[in-house]
Amino acid sequence: MPRQITAFSNPLIKRVRSLREKRHRREEGLFLAEGLRILTEASEAGILPEYVFFAKDGARHPLAQALIDAVEAKGGEAIETDRDILSKLSGKDNPQTVIGVYREFDTGLDRIDRASAGIWIVAQSLRDPGNLGTILRTGDAVGAGGLILVDDCVDPFSVEAVRATMGALFTQRIAAARWPDFLAWLRAGPGQLVGTSLKATQDYQAPRYAAPTFILVGNEAQGLPPDYEEQCDLLVKMPMLGKADSLNAAVATAVMAYEVLNQRRAR
């Protein structure tokens, strides 16, 4: 049976609240996810939280009750609390009625099976959690294998990033690596590295992309470093017919991902 916690001073509440900070997430190896939709997506992907906090009225939803039952059956803990404490945990005035505490995923490149999907997304020095969330959702939509974060990227386990993924964090494989390590891993097997660059002369719809295709997008402000572009098998660009000189990183990734998908569908 779920236990109840109603005191802000409870040690578990303090511990879970601290997971809003990167330092504590790294120390604990845990992160927060909010909302019944995201937690249900995770459950359907076979991933359950170690703790699930819920408001009493939120538990009336059949999906919430199914989640609580599944967590307890697997040895996790379900905790009933009030909305004030949920607000403290989430940092929002109007918190979701369900919050889960999850174990961080292994982000090693050696966990990637490149043969499992025809499309992979690679982001270099991505800084915005909203862009990360949109890219993961795009990856889920096109059936990509996952997202490889290169160099110093936004923390995919931050509350803001997890919220922005709308559950795609749990359906896409995530890896993280420095550029030399990623490049060595990539060249050790099949894979076409396609970079997006304003310096490219080739339109993004001109090439026939080989599988698996690794779509490389750069930092939101600087784009890809020149030496990274030199390592790409292909450099492509999208037509810019207005006054804007570039697309948002997540939008560019989505355009590229759907072009690769559409080529595969046409074969």
Side-chain angles (χ1 to χ4, degrees):
M1 292 291 292
R3 66 163 161 147
Q4 289 186 332
I5 294 179
T6 57
F8 288 102
S9 60
N10 183 279
L12 181 59
I13 298 300
K14 292 182 177 180
R15 178 188 172 202
V16 172
R17 185 175 183 273
S18 75
L19 297 178
R20 295 183 52 77
E21 299 178 19
K22 185 175 183 178
R23 175 172 64 89
H24 292 293
R25 288 195 299 274
R26 292 293 167 86
E27 290 173 355
E28 296 269 6
L30 300 169
F31 70 96
L32 295 173
E34 309 168 40
L36 185 56
R37 175 179 174 180
I38 291 179
L39 270 64
T40 298
E41 290 269 4
S43 179
E44 290 175 349
I47 303 170
L48 290 169
E50 298 193 359
Y51 298 95
V52 59
F53 294 83
F54 62 95
K56 186 174 182 179
D57 56 336
R60 298 192 186 107
H61 195 290
L63 289 177
Q65 190 58 58
L67 177 67
I68 292 166
D69 293 343
V71 168
E72 292 186 318
K74 197 175 178 181
E77 189 168 6
I79 298 161
E80 181 184 320
T81 188
D82 57 46
R83 288 182 179 269
D84 287 341
I85 288 181
L86 289 176
S87 179
K88 193 176 187 67
L89 297 180
S90 71
K92 295 169 62 179
D93 291 334
N94 296 305
Q96 300 280 352
T97 58
V98 183
I99 295 176
V101 179
Y102 289 85
R103 180 67 50 185
E104 286 192 358
F105 312 144
D106 183 344
T107 57
L109 276 175
D110 57 347
R111 295 293 302 276
I112 293 285
D113 176 11
R114 71 179 76 198
S116 65
I119 301 173
W120 295 84
I121 300 173
V122 186
Q124 186 266 334
S125 295
L126 193 73
R127 298 302 172 87
D128 184 79
N131 282 337
L132 182 141
T134 301
I135 288 172
L136 278 172
R137 291 165 66 187
T138 296
D140 179 85
V142 302
L147 172 63
I148 301 172
L149 299 170
V150 171
D151 297 338
D152 297 318
C153 290
V154 61
D155 182 2
F157 302 114
S158 71
V159 172
E160 296 80 10
V162 174
R163 186 182 297 143
T165 72
M166 295 297 290
L169 177 74
F170 298 100
T171 65
Q172 292 282 286
R173 174 71 68 185
I174 295 180
R178 307 304 297 181
W179 175 252
D181 297 326
F182 164 72
L183 202 58
W185 171 85
L186 178 69
R187 298 312 182 195
Q192 182 184 47
L193 185 61
V194 181
T196 56
S197 172
L198 293 174
K199 303 172 189 174
T201 58
Q202 189 165 211
D203 185 270
Y204 79 108
Q205 291 186 317
R208 302 303 293 177
Y209 297 110
T213 306
F214 289 81
I215 300 168
L216 175 62
V217 61
N219 171 266
E220 291 94 339
Q222 281 82 38
L224 291 171
D227 54 331
Y228 288 37
E229 292 183 348
E230 291 173 2
Q231 298 294 333
C232 292
D233 299 309
L234 285 173
L235 277 181
V236 297
K237 67 177 181 179
M238 294 149 212
M240 303 297 298
L241 305 183
K243 292 185 178 181
D245 61 0
S246 64
L247 291 174
N248 167 273
V251 172
T253 302
V255 172
M256 278 297 306
Y258 270 98
E259 174 60 23
V260 176
L261 175 63
N262 285 334
Q263 286 192 13
R264 305 272 159 75
R265 293 169 67 197
R267 291 174 186 172

